[in-house]
Tab-separated table of all heavy atoms in Angstrom:
chain	number	residue	atom	x	y	z
A	1	ASP	N	107.551	78.558	56.264
A	1	ASP	CA	106.245	79.145	56.437
A	1	ASP	C	105.937	79.523	57.892
A	1	ASP	O	105.311	80.535	58.238
A	1	ASP	CB	105.134	78.270	55.846
A	1	ASP	CG	105.232	78.164	54.298
A	1	ASP	OD1	105.973	78.971	53.734
A	1	ASP	OD2	104.537	77.348	53.726
A	2	ALA	N	106.370	78.590	58.797
A	2	ALA	CA	106.177	78.829	60.209
A	2	ALA	C	107.000	79.995	60.689
A	2	ALA	O	106.548	80.797	61.517
A	2	ALA	CB	106.584	77.549	61.043
A	3	ARG	N	108.200	80.169	60.161
A	3	ARG	CA	109.017	81.379	60.530
A	3	ARG	C	108.330	82.637	60.096
A	3	ARG	O	108.445	83.661	60.842
A	3	ARG	CB	110.419	81.264	59.872
A	3	ARG	CG	111.401	80.313	60.543
A	3	ARG	CD	112.720	80.411	59.941
A	3	ARG	NE	113.714	79.526	60.642
A	3	ARG	CZ	114.378	79.862	61.707
A	3	ARG	NH1	114.175	81.035	62.264
A	3	ARG	NH2	115.240	78.975	62.240
A	4	VAL	N	107.618	82.668	58.999
A	4	VAL	CA	106.900	83.864	58.626
A	4	VAL	C	105.921	84.244	59.670
A	4	VAL	O	105.737	85.395	60.028
A	4	VAL	CB	106.253	83.647	57.189
A	4	VAL	CG1	105.341	84.827	56.886
A	4	VAL	CG2	107.279	83.453	56.161
A	5	TYR	N	105.129	83.203	60.109
A	5	TYR	CA	104.161	83.489	61.200
A	5	TYR	C	104.812	83.916	62.489
A	5	TYR	O	104.298	84.857	63.184
A	5	TYR	CB	103.329	82.169	61.465
A	5	TYR	CG	102.069	82.070	60.727
A	5	TYR	CD1	101.868	81.073	59.791
A	5	TYR	CD2	100.942	82.976	60.973
A	5	TYR	CE1	100.664	80.965	59.110
A	5	TYR	CE2	99.791	82.882	60.328
A	5	TYR	CZ	99.641	81.828	59.357
A	5	TYR	OH	98.404	81.708	58.679
A	6	LEU	N	105.958	83.294	62.882
A	6	LEU	CA	106.647	83.638	64.068
A	6	LEU	C	107.154	85.083	63.964
A	6	LEU	O	107.136	85.814	65.039
A	6	LEU	CB	107.782	82.637	64.306
A	6	LEU	CG	107.361	81.279	64.758
A	6	LEU	CD1	108.548	80.327	64.624
A	6	LEU	CD2	106.860	81.363	66.243
A	7	GLU	N	107.611	85.541	62.862
A	7	GLU	CA	108.032	86.905	62.715
A	7	GLU	C	106.889	87.870	62.902
A	7	GLU	O	106.967	88.947	63.506
A	7	GLU	CB	108.768	87.087	61.379
A	7	GLU	CG	110.068	86.399	61.322
A	7	GLU	CD	110.689	86.347	59.899
A	7	GLU	OE1	110.031	86.972	59.002
A	7	GLU	OE2	111.685	85.710	59.691
A	8	ARG	N	105.694	87.542	62.312
A	8	ARG	CA	104.513	88.364	62.427
A	8	ARG	C	104.082	88.436	63.898
A	8	ARG	O	103.709	89.526	64.440
A	8	ARG	CB	103.399	87.772	61.586
A	8	ARG	CG	102.088	88.539	61.714
A	8	ARG	CD	102.162	89.906	61.078
A	8	ARG	NE	100.987	90.695	61.342
A	8	ARG	CZ	99.827	90.574	60.666
A	8	ARG	NH1	99.697	89.686	59.628
A	8	ARG	NH2	98.780	91.330	60.926
A	9	ILE	N	104.114	87.337	64.627
A	9	ILE	CA	103.753	87.289	66.018
A	9	ILE	C	104.696	88.113	66.852
A	9	ILE	O	104.258	88.831	67.755
A	9	ILE	CB	103.649	85.816	66.514
A	9	ILE	CG1	102.388	85.128	65.865
A	9	ILE	CG2	103.533	85.784	68.023
A	9	ILE	CD1	102.404	83.641	66.054
A	10	GLN	N	105.922	88.069	66.498
A	10	GLN	CA	106.941	88.829	67.232
A	10	GLN	C	106.695	90.304	67.000
A	10	GLN	O	106.823	91.133	67.941
A	10	GLN	CB	108.408	88.463	66.816
A	10	GLN	CG	109.448	89.045	67.719
A	10	GLN	CD	110.814	88.478	67.345
A	10	GLN	OE1	111.014	87.868	66.353
A	10	GLN	NE2	111.795	88.692	68.259
A	11	GLN	N	106.393	90.667	65.810
A	11	GLN	CA	106.027	92.131	65.481
A	11	GLN	C	104.815	92.579	66.251
A	11	GLN	O	104.751	93.752	66.641
A	11	GLN	CB	105.830	92.270	64.003
A	11	GLN	CG	107.050	92.062	63.091
A	11	GLN	CD	106.697	92.036	61.601
A	11	GLN	OE1	105.477	92.045	61.241
A	11	GLN	NE2	107.735	91.798	60.844
A	12	LEU	N	103.873	91.666	66.532
A	12	LEU	CA	102.691	92.031	67.313
A	12	LEU	C	102.984	92.171	68.797
A	12	LEU	O	102.129	92.619	69.574
A	12	LEU	CB	101.614	90.998	67.064
A	12	LEU	CG	100.979	90.975	65.664
A	12	LEU	CD1	100.105	89.770	65.472
A	12	LEU	CD2	100.203	92.275	65.415
A	13	GLY	N	104.175	91.679	69.213
A	13	GLY	CA	104.492	91.814	70.633
A	13	GLY	C	104.618	90.426	71.355
A	13	GLY	O	104.694	90.407	72.524
A	14	GLY	N	104.582	89.314	70.554
A	14	GLY	CA	104.627	88.014	71.156
A	14	GLY	C	103.324	87.268	71.184
A	14	GLY	O	102.243	87.882	70.793
A	15	ALA	N	103.314	86.093	71.617
A	15	ALA	CA	102.097	85.226	71.558
A	15	ALA	C	100.933	85.813	72.398
A	15	ALA	O	99.777	85.734	71.929
A	15	ALA	CB	102.422	83.847	72.119
A	16	ILE	N	101.227	86.332	73.566
A	16	ILE	CA	100.064	86.911	74.412
A	16	ILE	C	99.427	88.001	73.666
A	16	ILE	O	98.180	88.129	73.614
A	16	ILE	CB	100.619	87.295	75.818
A	16	ILE	CG1	101.144	86.060	76.520
A	16	ILE	CG2	99.497	87.912	76.599
A	16	ILE	CD1	101.805	86.440	77.874
A	17	ALA	N	100.245	88.921	73.137
A	17	ALA	CA	99.648	90.107	72.435
A	17	ALA	C	98.913	89.605	71.142
A	17	ALA	O	97.912	90.191	70.837
A	17	ALA	CB	100.811	91.065	72.017
A	18	ALA	N	99.439	88.631	70.505
A	18	ALA	CA	98.814	88.088	69.270
A	18	ALA	C	97.499	87.435	69.565
A	18	ALA	O	96.528	87.512	68.790
A	18	ALA	CB	99.743	87.104	68.568
A	19	ILE	N	97.359	86.836	70.796
A	19	ILE	CA	96.142	86.245	71.215
A	19	ILE	C	95.125	87.330	71.662
A	19	ILE	O	93.947	87.383	71.236
A	19	ILE	CB	96.333	85.246	72.339
A	19	ILE	CG1	97.063	83.999	71.810
A	19	ILE	CG2	95.030	84.837	73.003
A	19	ILE	CD1	97.590	83.118	72.905
A	20	GLU	N	95.625	88.356	72.409
A	20	GLU	CA	94.746	89.363	72.909
A	20	GLU	C	94.241	90.235	71.755
A	20	GLU	O	93.112	90.756	71.836
A	20	GLU	CB	95.506	90.228	73.930
A	20	GLU	CG	95.770	89.508	75.241
A	20	GLU	CD	96.564	90.351	76.188
A	20	GLU	OE1	97.365	91.234	75.783
A	20	GLU	OE2	96.352	90.181	77.436
A	21	SER	N	94.979	90.388	70.705
A	21	SER	CA	94.542	91.180	69.518
A	21	SER	C	93.535	90.321	68.638
A	21	SER	O	92.921	90.874	67.735
A	21	SER	CB	95.701	91.598	68.696
A	21	SER	OG	96.284	90.512	68.023
A	22	GLY	N	93.501	89.013	68.910
A	22	GLY	CA	92.639	88.163	68.068
A	22	GLY	C	93.327	87.633	66.781
A	22	GLY	O	92.676	86.882	66.034
A	23	PHE	N	94.597	87.943	66.651
A	23	PHE	CA	95.263	87.557	65.345
A	23	PHE	C	95.258	85.988	65.246
A	23	PHE	O	94.946	85.473	64.152
A	23	PHE	CB	96.706	88.050	65.384
A	23	PHE	CG	97.569	87.527	64.234
A	23	PHE	CD1	97.346	87.929	62.913
A	23	PHE	CD2	98.505	86.561	64.501
A	23	PHE	CE1	98.108	87.353	61.872
A	23	PHE	CE2	99.272	85.981	63.489
A	23	PHE	CZ	99.083	86.418	62.175
A	24	ILE	N	95.745	85.297	66.265
A	24	ILE	CA	95.871	83.832	66.142
A	24	ILE	C	94.485	83.220	65.971
A	24	ILE	O	94.268	82.343	65.133
A	24	ILE	CB	96.612	83.282	67.391
A	24	ILE	CG1	98.106	83.702	67.293
A	24	ILE	CG2	96.449	81.775	67.480
A	24	ILE	CD1	98.911	83.221	68.454
A	25	GLN	N	93.498	83.706	66.758
A	25	GLN	CA	92.168	83.109	66.647
A	25	GLN	C	91.597	83.316	65.226
A	25	GLN	O	90.971	82.457	64.644
A	25	GLN	CB	91.208	83.783	67.697
A	25	GLN	CG	91.594	83.524	69.082
A	25	GLN	CD	92.430	84.612	69.706
A	25	GLN	OE1	93.426	85.001	69.160
A	25	GLN	NE2	92.014	85.153	70.886
A	26	HIS	N	91.841	84.508	64.694
A	26	HIS	CA	91.345	84.802	63.334
A	26	HIS	C	91.959	83.915	62.271
A	26	HIS	O	91.236	83.452	61.411
A	26	HIS	CB	91.613	86.300	63.019
A	26	HIS	CG	91.076	86.715	61.666
A	26	HIS	ND1	89.738	86.764	61.425
A	26	HIS	CD2	91.698	87.161	60.529
A	26	HIS	CE1	89.504	87.172	60.137
A	26	HIS	NE2	90.724	87.437	59.645
A	27	GLU	N	93.247	83.726	62.407
A	27	GLU	CA	93.932	82.813	61.469
A	27	GLU	C	93.389	81.360	61.539
A	27	GLU	O	93.195	80.701	60.503
A	27	GLU	CB	95.440	82.826	61.730
A	27	GLU	CG	96.108	84.095	61.354
A	27	GLU	CD	96.047	84.400	59.864
A	27	GLU	OE1	96.541	83.552	59.144
A	27	GLU	OE2	95.520	85.514	59.529
A	28	ILE	N	93.120	80.915	62.805
A	28	ILE	CA	92.545	79.565	62.938
A	28	ILE	C	91.172	79.512	62.340
A	28	ILE	O	90.779	78.526	61.650
A	28	ILE	CB	92.534	79.199	64.453
A	28	ILE	CG1	93.944	79.057	64.972
A	28	ILE	CG2	91.770	77.845	64.635
A	28	ILE	CD1	94.034	78.881	66.501
A	29	HIS	N	90.360	80.534	62.532
A	29	HIS	CA	88.999	80.518	62.086
A	29	HIS	C	88.950	80.517	60.552
A	29	HIS	O	88.116	79.848	59.915
A	29	HIS	CB	88.239	81.813	62.557
A	29	HIS	CG	88.036	81.799	64.065
A	29	HIS	ND1	87.714	82.950	64.782
A	29	HIS	CD2	88.150	80.796	64.988
A	29	HIS	CE1	87.623	82.619	66.071
A	29	HIS	NE2	87.847	81.380	66.182
A	30	LEU	N	89.847	81.302	59.933
A	30	LEU	CA	89.914	81.297	58.439
A	30	LEU	C	90.309	79.946	57.902
A	30	LEU	O	89.739	79.454	56.895
A	30	LEU	CB	90.942	82.352	57.952
A	30	LEU	CG	90.573	83.836	58.112
A	30	LEU	CD1	91.722	84.734	57.712
A	30	LEU	CD2	89.272	84.149	57.344
A	31	ALA	N	91.238	79.300	58.584
A	31	ALA	CA	91.658	77.946	58.128
A	31	ALA	C	90.554	76.922	58.291
A	31	ALA	O	90.342	76.079	57.432
A	31	ALA	CB	92.935	77.523	58.906
A	32	ALA	N	89.842	77.016	59.389
A	32	ALA	CA	88.740	76.140	59.630
A	32	ALA	C	87.620	76.243	58.621
A	32	ALA	O	87.027	75.316	58.133
A	32	ALA	CB	88.220	76.277	61.040
A	33	TYR	N	87.316	77.515	58.291
A	33	TYR	CA	86.289	77.855	57.294
A	33	TYR	C	86.706	77.294	55.943
A	33	TYR	O	85.884	76.663	55.212
A	33	TYR	CB	86.053	79.335	57.271
A	33	TYR	CG	84.989	79.732	56.255
A	33	TYR	CD1	83.634	79.512	56.508
A	33	TYR	CD2	85.346	80.364	55.072
A	33	TYR	CE1	82.671	79.879	55.613
A	33	TYR	CE2	84.343	80.803	54.120
A	33	TYR	CZ	83.009	80.506	54.452
A	33	TYR	OH	82.044	80.889	53.508
A	34	ALA	N	87.949	77.461	55.617
A	34	ALA	CA	88.425	76.975	54.289
A	34	ALA	C	88.355	75.470	54.189
A	34	ALA	O	87.909	74.902	53.139
A	34	ALA	CB	89.907	77.442	54.042
A	35	HIS	N	88.656	74.799	55.280
A	35	HIS	CA	88.574	73.352	55.243
A	35	HIS	C	87.076	72.904	55.110
A	35	HIS	O	86.793	72.002	54.335
A	35	HIS	CB	89.095	72.784	56.575
A	35	HIS	CG	88.767	71.350	56.789
A	35	HIS	ND1	89.539	70.330	56.167
A	35	HIS	CD2	87.849	70.663	57.529
A	35	HIS	CE1	89.018	69.176	56.494
A	35	HIS	NE2	88.040	69.351	57.345
A	36	GLN	N	86.160	73.516	55.870
A	36	GLN	CA	84.779	73.153	55.780
A	36	GLN	C	84.246	73.412	54.384
A	36	GLN	O	83.474	72.590	53.837
A	36	GLN	CB	83.959	73.855	56.797
A	36	GLN	CG	82.516	73.505	56.885
A	36	GLN	CD	82.359	72.013	57.228
A	36	GLN	OE1	83.136	71.437	58.010
A	36	GLN	NE2	81.364	71.320	56.696
A	37	GLN	N	84.612	74.506	53.764
A	37	GLN	CA	84.177	74.762	52.388
A	37	GLN	C	84.675	73.653	51.439
A	37	GLN	O	83.961	73.238	50.539
A	37	GLN	CB	84.727	76.151	51.951
A	37	GLN	CG	84.113	77.319	52.610
A	37	GLN	CD	83.238	78.148	51.613
A	37	GLN	OE1	83.613	78.236	50.476
A	37	GLN	NE2	82.208	78.712	52.056
A	38	ALA	N	85.925	73.219	51.651
A	38	ALA	CA	86.505	72.199	50.826
A	38	ALA	C	85.742	70.883	50.948
A	38	ALA	O	85.560	70.147	49.936
A	38	ALA	CB	87.977	72.035	51.106
A	39	VAL	N	85.346	70.568	52.124
A	39	VAL	CA	84.519	69.375	52.345
A	39	VAL	C	83.160	69.502	51.700
A	39	VAL	O	82.691	68.503	51.068
A	39	VAL	CB	84.393	69.080	53.911
A	39	VAL	CG1	83.387	67.919	54.092
A	39	VAL	CG2	85.730	68.739	54.488
A	40	GLU	N	82.527	70.665	51.854
A	40	GLU	CA	81.234	70.797	51.259
A	40	GLU	C	81.237	70.875	49.738
A	40	GLU	O	80.304	70.363	49.140
A	40	GLU	CB	80.615	72.091	51.858
A	40	GLU	CG	80.314	71.957	53.322
A	40	GLU	CD	79.584	73.160	53.940
A	40	GLU	OE1	79.177	74.038	53.110
A	40	GLU	OE2	79.488	73.193	55.177
A	41	ASP	N	82.287	71.422	49.130
A	41	ASP	CA	82.270	71.395	47.640
A	41	ASP	C	82.999	70.175	47.065
A	41	ASP	O	83.185	70.101	45.896
A	41	ASP	CB	82.927	72.698	47.115
A	41	ASP	CG	84.411	72.881	47.413
A	41	ASP	OD1	85.104	71.832	47.635
A	41	ASP	OD2	84.905	74.016	47.417
A	42	LYS	N	83.385	69.314	47.961
A	42	LYS	CA	84.063	67.995	47.638
A	42	LYS	C	85.406	68.166	47.004
A	42	LYS	O	85.861	67.170	46.385
A	42	LYS	CB	83.077	67.189	46.750
A	42	LYS	CG	81.779	66.787	47.486
A	42	LYS	CD	80.980	65.757	46.678
A	42	LYS	CE	79.743	65.364	47.408
A	42	LYS	NZ	78.952	64.317	46.633
A	43	SER	N	86.030	69.283	47.151
A	43	SER	CA	87.390	69.308	46.658
A	43	SER	C	88.288	68.585	47.680
A	43	SER	O	89.473	68.249	47.393
A	43	SER	CB	87.894	70.754	46.532
A	43	SER	OG	87.763	71.499	47.719
A	44	LYS	N	87.775	68.365	48.888
A	44	LYS	CA	88.483	67.485	49.872
A	44	LYS	C	87.502	66.368	50.240
A	44	LYS	O	86.362	66.646	50.737
A	44	LYS	CB	88.829	68.277	51.141
A	44	LYS	CG	89.588	67.501	52.181
A	44	LYS	CD	89.918	68.328	53.410
A	44	LYS	CE	90.946	69.379	53.116
A	44	LYS	NZ	92.277	68.836	52.858
A	45	LEU	N	87.897	65.163	49.983
A	45	LEU	CA	86.982	63.992	50.162
A	45	LEU	C	87.169	63.368	51.563
A	45	LEU	O	88.295	63.216	52.035
A	45	LEU	CB	87.193	62.978	49.115
A	45	LEU	CG	86.980	63.390	47.681
A	45	LEU	CD1	87.244	62.236	46.709
A	45	LEU	CD2	85.505	63.821	47.468
């Protein structure tokens, strides 16, 4: 699964380009939101 992300980042032009485009930040934000939702609906205790 990490290789899939690495290939996507390489396609974007590398880590700096992926950060400047907001790709990495967006992925982190989506994961953080999903975690908070899981805590609030108690699917994650």
Side-chain angles (χ1 to χ4, degrees):
D1 292 348
R3 281 188 179 276
V4 172
Y5 266 116
L6 286 165
E7 289 169 6
R8 177 69 187 279
I9 290 169
Q10 191 171 14
Q11 290 169 0
L12 290 170
I16 298 174
I19 291 169
E20 289 179 330
S21 71
F23 170 74
I24 290 178
Q25 297 94 310
H26 183 63
E27 291 296 303
I28 295 172
H29 296 163
L30 289 177
Y33 181 72
H35 170 79
Q36 186 60 34
Q37 288 248 327
V39 171
E40 292 184 10
D41 67 23
K42 296 190 178 182
S43 58
K44 184 182 291 290
L45 297 180

